[in-house]
Amino acid sequence: MRHASPARFVRSIAVLVTLLAACGGGAPPEAAAPSSATPASAAAPASGSPHTGLLSEEAFKAIHELKAERAPAPQGQEIQVEGSRAYLSLPPGAKAPLPGVVVIHEWWGLNEHIRHWTDRLAEDGYAALAVDLYGGKVATTPDEAMATMKAVDNAAALKVVRAANHFLETDPRTQSPRTGSIGWCFGGAWSLQLALNEPSLDAAVLYYGHLVKDPEALKAVRAPLLGIFGNKDQGIPPEEVDAFDKALHEAGVEHTILRYEADHAFANPSGKRYDAKSAEDAWKHVRSFLSAKLKGG
């Protein structure tokens, strides 16, 4: 297993202070367009904070709603990783070695909807491990989610996501020869951070997580990236995605950027405004990407 250098770790933690992403609702999106497409213009958002991207805290909280319906019953099991709870879901009847995916929740925490998404990955043939970066807390209101997100210890959280990747690589139930990561909003930023800090990672998917736009910092990434964004996103507007795309090119990072005519968080599995049509379209790209990078086909 390859390890990041201490200097890279310190630099990434410094960058991460500004990476906690906005996680909101979405408008009905259209089909995905490649990164070369001309993005739709976004309205100028209010000045935000390191925790909310370009949105103010009030604007950030206003676009959050949880689903009223329950998620399907979980199929996996609760385990401990780096002293933190986690949720492991394995393909029915499958045995190690299995390709592995670290699943990182958005701002509500590791709730039943994230467990369901983890089960979906397991049904697709992956050992899927959802981490908990909130220390066991699950928010049910925007105020709770904001407070919990702002209380995250970045250094401790980074240890958890790296430990989750190591678990997948070494646990007898998984023994993953290849590993990837996926996250939404807050979790999208952490999926990118895992790619920045874990050279053994083989793929990273980030749904509209706040971005690193420094080519020098991005040179630490070894895993191919798939980024999914909305052109109407005020927290991570098209010009931010353009800058990220440009920086990845300059850093020589293999990547694909997909854009939807959508607002922020159109694919959030916990969001009341989750748009099934566009989320499923994006999911087809995610499945293809993970299969190519982690299954070799």
Side-chain angles (χ1 to χ4, degrees):
M1 178 179 174
R2 293 167 287 173
H3 295 279
S5 68
R8 182 182 300 163
F9 176 86
V10 172
R11 181 176 68 237
S12 296
I13 283 295
V15 171
L16 187 58
V17 173
T18 64
L19 294 184
L20 299 180
C23 308
E30 304 297 334
S35 61
S36 59
T38 301
S41 61
S47 178
S49 77
H51 300 284
T52 64
L54 300 181
L55 295 177
S56 69
E57 288 193 4
E58 290 307 309
F60 182 82
K61 289 188 290 186
I63 59 175
H64 285 75
E65 295 177 276
L66 273 171
K67 286 182 177 179
E69 66 270 25
R70 299 294 300 271
Q75 304 300 310
Q77 59 183 301
E78 299 285 331
I79 65 169
Q80 290 284 312
V81 173
E82 189 65 23
S84 173
R85 71 169 185 153
Y87 176 77
L88 176 66
S89 190
L90 302 175
K95 295 182 180 180
L98 297 164
V101 180
V102 179
V103 183
I104 312 172
H105 60 79
E106 30 72 275
W107 90 318
W108 297 110
L110 178 52
N111 61 18
E112 61 186 12
H113 297 289
I114 299 298
R115 289 185 178 86
H116 173 54
W117 218 259
T118 307
D119 288 339
R120 288 186 68 178
L121 283 161
E123 290 171 3
D124 225 9
Y126 301 97
L129 179 59
V131 297
D132 177 10
L133 302 186
Y134 279 4
K137 296 181 180 178
V138 176
T140 58
T141 70
D143 285 336
E144 288 177 351
M146 177 66 75
T148 307
M149 183 178 70
K150 291 169 69 174
V152 169
D153 181 316
N154 293 327
L158 185 57
K159 287 182 180 179
V160 170
V161 294
R162 293 193 70 196
N165 185 70
H166 182 66
F167 175 97
L168 290 171
E169 292 177 327
T170 60
D171 188 88
R173 291 167 287 185
T174 56
Q175 295 180 332
S176 301
R178 300 181 186 178
T179 59
S181 61
I182 185 171
W184 302 265
C185 306
F186 168 86
W190 277 103
S191 184
L192 177 57
Q193 279 299 307
L194 182 54
L196 280 162
N197 286 278
E198 187 48 75
S200 71
L201 197 72
D202 297 288
V205 179
L206 47 149
Y207 279 87
Y208 33 74
H210 214 56
L211 305 171
V212 175
K213 293 165 288 183
D214 177 5
E216 287 302 313
L218 289 169
K219 287 179 180 179
V221 175
R222 296 291 178 266
L225 301 181
L226 173 62
I228 299 170
F229 303 93
N231 283 337
K232 299 178 182 178
D233 190 336
Q234 293 187 21
I236 307 172
E239 56 268 27
E240 293 285 300
V241 181
D242 291 342
F244 179 55
D245 191 13
K246 181 175 182 291
L248 288 170
H249 278 294
E250 292 179 7
V253 176
E254 180 185 341
H255 68 285
T256 300
I257 302 293
L258 297 177
R259 305 174 191 254
Y260 288 78
E261 289 307 314
D263 212 328
H264 189 78
F266 67 88
N268 271 17
S270 297
K272 185 177 180 180
R273 298 181 186 181
Y274 169 79
D275 186 278
K277 180 180 178 181
S278 291
E280 285 303 315
D281 184 81
W283 187 244
K284 290 178 183 177
H285 291 282
V286 171
R287 291 184 69 202
S288 177
F289 174 78
L290 290 178
S291 177
K293 305 306 179 185
L294 303 185
K295 296 180 182 178

